[in-house]
Amino acid sequence: MPHKTQQRSSILEVMEELGRPVTPSELLKHASVKSPGLGLATVYRALKQLVKTGKSRKIEISGVPPHYEVFDKNDHHHFFVCEECLTMSVLDGCIGSFNKILPAGCRIKSHEVVIYGECKDCVS
Amino acid sequence: MPHKTQQRSSILEVMEELGRPVTPSELLKHASVKSPGLGLATVYRALKQLVKTGKSRKIEISGVPPHYEVFDKNDHHHFFVCEECLTMSVLDGCIGSFNKILPAGCRIKSHEVVIYGECKDCVS
DNA sequence: GTTGCTGCAAAAAGTTTGCAGGACG
DNA sequence: CGTCCTGCAAACTTTTTGCAGCAAC
């Protein structure tokens, strides 16, 4: 059974406070304020445990390094990546209905949609 | 101006023959038959050049290592990843219509859809 | 006290780069 | 013949692991 340590609490708090997908090194930077001396290995170990217990989710998409976000099964959403500033943001809602392109005989479990473009701050 | 070498031809041929997204090490394995002694660095350099000239595309999605495929702008498609055998396959067609979830003020350039599940060979 | 966690440093895995020689055009 | 490419090995980057000590329960 996992222990609730100061470091892991800090890491989860930072993810919740930022409210957007973050990278491990971003997490280290922010959580080090709450837990001085925090190491990157601890961040990776905490993330692995959060993913395993379903509290967090790893997001890997083209063009940006892996990000993690707090997972909430009632908040289904997708992502927008600005190709200009390489920031990842959350898109509410879902377009659904993938049946028409699915191959026969397979079982669908989940899906991911990523939209690439320029965010409103980078559209010039 | 790039030179047309035996190694690069082999690499592109293998991508065309397999007709599905492949990893750099898969490419090395298959292209080594046509070009004995081929090195992984050469595969990476060839892929970088193919991507830059628009002949190939890098696909990075959660759960599997980066793959590359021959790029054809008239063949828009998405991907299915079998969580069981970790194979990536191509889904023809597109569900389109992302406007309803797009944030205001941003410009959309492209999108990616990935469906996860079990392929027909792994559904038991 | 026992178990699990932490920081550090070393190890892995994947990708890139420097270099001397060779192929291409 | 100049330019670009190749294989090798070393360097880098990101992530994982071994270990001795410490914190949590």
Side-chain angles (χ1 to χ4, degrees), chain B residues 9-63:
Chain B
S9 300
S10 301
I11 289 165
L12 191 51
E13 275 173 28
V14 166
M15 292 181 80
E16 285 166 344
E17 285 166 15
L18 292 178
R20 62 174 174 83
V22 288
T23 62
S25 56
E26 272 185 301
L27 273 179
L28 176 68
K29 191 180 68 180
H30 287 97
S32 290
V33 178
K34 296 165 185 266
S35 296
L38 180 67
L40 190 51
T42 300
V43 173
Y44 276 104
R45 283 188 277 230
L47 285 172
K48 180 172 284 189
Q49 201 238 175
L50 287 170
V51 168
K52 188 156 65 178
T53 59
K55 293 189 184 66
S56 176
R57 183 162 85 101
K58 184 179 188 182
I59 307 155
E60 289 170 277
I61 60 180
S62 294

Side-chain angles (χ1 to χ4, degrees), chain A residues 3-5 40-41 44-45 48 66:
Chain A
H3 289 172
K4 175 174 179 170
T5 64
L40 191 50
Y44 276 104
R45 284 187 277 229
K48 179 172 284 187

Side-chain angles (χ1 to χ4, degrees), chain A residues 3-27:
Chain A
H3 289 172
K4 175 174 179 170
T5 64
Q6 201 241 325
Q7 289 89 337
R8 294 191 173 186
S9 300
S10 301
I11 289 165
L12 190 50
E13 275 173 29
V14 166
M15 292 181 80
E16 285 167 344
E17 285 166 13
L18 291 177
R20 60 174 175 83
V22 288
T23 61
S25 56
E26 272 184 300
L27 272 179

